[in-house]
Amino acid sequence: MSRCCLAQFSCCCGSAACSLCCSCCPKIKQSTGTRFMYALFFILVTVICCVMMSPTVAKEVETHIPFYKDICTTIHAGPKCEKLVGYSAVYRVCFGMACFFFVFWLLTINVKTSKSCRAYIHNGFWFFKFAVLFAMCSGAFFIPEKAQDIFLQVWHYVGAAGGFLFLLIQLMLLVEFAHKWNKNWNAGTAQNKLWYAALAFVTLTLYSIAVGALILLAVFYTAPEGCTLNKILLGVNGGLCLLVSLVAITSRVQNQQPNSGLLQSGIISCYVMYLTFSSLAGKPEEKGLTGNTTICVPYFNQSLDSENRLVIVLGTVLLFACILYSCLTSTTRANYAALRVGTVVSPETEVARCCFCCEPDENGTDMEVHKEARGGQEVIYDETRGTVYSYAFFHFVFFLGSLYVMMTVTSWFDYHHAEIEKLFRGNWSAFWIKMASSWVCIGLYLWTLLAPLCCPTRSFSV
């Protein structure tokens, strides 16, 4: 145990790779461990932001913590710590986290080898980095009161720009994910025809989910009288999903891109249906002709909060999953190249795998396996020949992710009345942003299909 504690100390205060003390745990790559630690920092700050936006948590803390008012007065946070809650507190905390990743982005620009001093800082010294992150998030609360209004206004526009850019990267990764899945499984059909059955089964399942979701949305979120906007949006999104499905299997697209198929359009259709559901579920209430009844929502929702809980739980899980997936996968070499405008780069040789997201080891025998003398996890040093992902772009994506979290938690442009309990309902800003995201997603996927036809002189590899 003492050896384990010593090794963990060297990880936190030095450049040694971090690992768990349990030897039963599977091997971990140094690059994976580093990204996991940054993700933990990101999740920790995000949870703090969610707590700051919750009036329920604020009341519970005020009720159960003794000497609450004295503590608030001592730290100059106001009589009831009002400076530590609300959208302005979230803006300050996310400002500190964004500055943290922005500084590391500048520090790691053009790092090509893990042996440089800047790479050692990136891969280690976690205690000091945590202290720096804490200092940056705390320091934003000491901005002079005279400059606070200007700071919040300017930072709001910066956050909106960064949040939209992160959202665009997230959608581009989804389209790239769909193409990657289809190409990987198509590569296996040359050796084993069972991959055709797998492709057909998954495609059928995806379209069943998408069509079923569209029918349920039409049943629960429309009414014979009223709900005109809901009917239009459901018709538009359903029609767009049908359009991209037909375009994907046209002869001209197939001639240019033999790997194009219904699997990709099925994935896109499911995601568009999720965004449509999330938008409609979070749409402000609409009254009937009499003005006494609420329409365009599931009938059971008028007496129960089950639908709201579903939206909140599903939305929160998918929000965290999408953010972490975008932050962690966008920085691999393959995905970083895929984000270049107009080109999706894939390796020339594909090996079909059920878990196609897990890239094969690129460094092969050059990897060093470090057997922990403390009896803990084995650490694979997978960057002996060079970095396996872009350090600078990794921090830049987390920088944008910090802005996206800030805008999402504070309900984008309706931040004055934002509460975490109402994050996924009754908000026009979030409603239109989610709906626009579905159209952008369709547009990006359609561009990957039509780009080789529109620009035949350029090289497109999907």
Side-chain angles (χ1 to χ4, degrees), residues 27-43:
K27 300 175 182 178
I28 184 171
K29 297 178 182 179
Q30 182 190 27
S31 60
T32 302
T34 297
R35 286 177 283 184
F36 179 75
M37 290 298 295
Y38 283 112
L40 284 180
F41 286 178
F42 185 85
I43 293 174

Side-chain angles (χ1 to χ4, degrees), residues 316-328:
T316 303
V317 171
L318 287 176
L319 175 65
F320 273 94
C322 290
I323 290 174
L324 290 178
Y325 177 80
S326 302
C327 290
L328 296 177

Side-chain angles (χ1 to χ4, degrees), residues 306-374:
S306 56
E307 187 249 358
N308 285 333
R309 295 193 192 100
L310 174 63
V311 173
I312 291 173
V313 173
L314 183 61
T316 303
V317 171
L318 287 176
L319 175 65
F320 273 94
C322 290
I323 290 174
L324 290 178
Y325 177 80
S326 302
C327 290
L328 296 177
T329 62
S330 63
T331 52
T332 60
R333 295 297 184 191
N335 288 343
Y336 176 67
L339 290 176
R340 295 174 184 171
V341 178
T343 307
V344 177
V345 181
S346 299
E348 295 181 358
T349 58
E350 281 278 353
V351 178
R353 301 179 303 278
C354 290
C355 188
F356 64 94
C357 290
C358 300
E359 295 289 344
D361 295 336
E362 298 178 1
N363 289 346
T365 57
D366 287 345
M367 290 186 183
E368 298 177 3
V369 180
H370 177 55
K371 304 285 185 178
E372 299 289 350
R374 59 182 180 239

Side-chain angles (χ1 to χ4, degrees), residues 118-313:
R118 291 187 293 162
Y120 285 134
I121 295 174
H122 168 79
N123 289 314
F125 302 98
W126 297 107
F127 173 78
F128 299 107
K129 283 189 280 194
F130 179 79
V132 171
L133 177 61
F134 178 80
M136 287 184 168
C137 292
S138 303
F141 287 90
F142 294 93
I143 296 175
E145 293 186 5
K146 295 181 179 180
Q148 284 184 9
D149 292 339
I150 298 177
F151 162 75
L152 294 175
Q153 185 176 6
V154 172
W155 188 238
H156 170 73
Y157 289 114
V158 173
F164 281 126
L165 183 56
F166 180 84
L167 194 59
L168 180 61
I169 291 177
Q170 182 176 300
L171 295 175
M172 292 174 69
L173 284 174
L174 176 68
V175 174
E176 189 272 339
F177 169 85
H179 283 298
K180 182 179 180 181
W181 187 353
N182 187 73
K183 182 169 184 177
N184 185 268
W185 282 22
N186 264 322
T189 57
Q191 289 78 30
N192 192 334
K193 301 302 180 184
L194 289 177
W195 286 108
Y196 282 120
L199 281 167
F201 175 76
V202 172
T203 302
L204 182 62
T205 301
L206 290 171
Y207 272 101
S208 299
I209 294 173
V211 173
L214 182 61
I215 294 174
L216 291 175
L217 290 174
V219 171
F220 289 115
Y221 288 93
T222 61
E225 297 180 359
C227 306
T228 304
L229 179 61
N230 290 13
K231 294 174 183 177
I232 293 174
L233 294 176
L234 285 174
V236 169
N237 283 8
L240 289 175
C241 291
L242 177 62
L243 173 65
V244 295
S245 300
L246 295 176
V247 171
I249 57 176
T250 57
S251 57
R252 295 195 64 183
V253 172
Q254 288 287 317
N255 290 336
Q256 291 288 335
Q257 302 183 50
N259 289 316
S260 175
L262 293 176
L263 177 63
Q264 299 101 307
S265 53
I267 296 172
I268 300 301
S269 298
C270 284
Y271 189 69
V272 168
M273 287 299 107
Y274 159 70
L275 289 176
T276 305
F277 161 69
S278 182
S279 299
L280 296 180
K283 181 172 170 279
E285 294 182 351
E286 184 175 341
K287 298 295 182 180
L289 297 177
T290 62
N292 297 323
T293 57
T294 302
I295 61 174
C296 308
V297 294
Y299 67 91
F300 53 80
N301 184 53
Q302 297 181 24
S303 57
L304 299 174
D305 287 334
S306 56
E307 187 249 358
N308 285 333
R309 295 193 192 100
L310 174 63
V311 173
I312 291 173
V313 173

Side-chain angles (χ1 to χ4, degrees), residues 91 94-95 98 151-167 399-408 410 412-413 433:
Y91 273 33
C94 288
F95 174 76
F151 162 75
L152 294 175
Q153 185 176 6
V154 172
W155 188 238
H156 170 73
Y157 289 114
V158 173
F164 281 126
L165 183 56
F166 180 84
L167 194 59
F399 163 73
L400 296 179
S402 303
L403 301 178
Y404 179 75
V405 166
M406 181 185 77
M407 298 304 296
T408 302
T410 57
W412 289 87
F413 299 103
I433 287 172

Side-chain angles (χ1 to χ4, degrees), residues 366-421:
D366 287 345
M367 290 186 183
E368 298 177 3
V369 180
H370 177 55
K371 304 285 185 178
E372 299 289 350
R374 59 182 180 239
Q377 253 183 325
E378 292 183 2
V379 178
I380 301 176
Y381 288 86
D382 57 336
E383 296 187 312
T384 54
R385 293 195 305 180
T387 59
V388 298
Y389 64 99
S390 170
Y391 290 175
F393 191 65
F394 172 85
H395 291 293
F396 182 71
V397 172
F398 264 96
F399 163 73
L400 296 179
S402 303
L403 301 178
Y404 179 75
V405 166
M406 181 185 77
M407 298 304 296
T408 302
V409 171
T410 57
S411 299
W412 289 87
F413 299 103
D414 194 27
Y415 52 91
H416 288 290
H417 306 96
E419 294 179 7
I420 198 66
E421 288 84 357

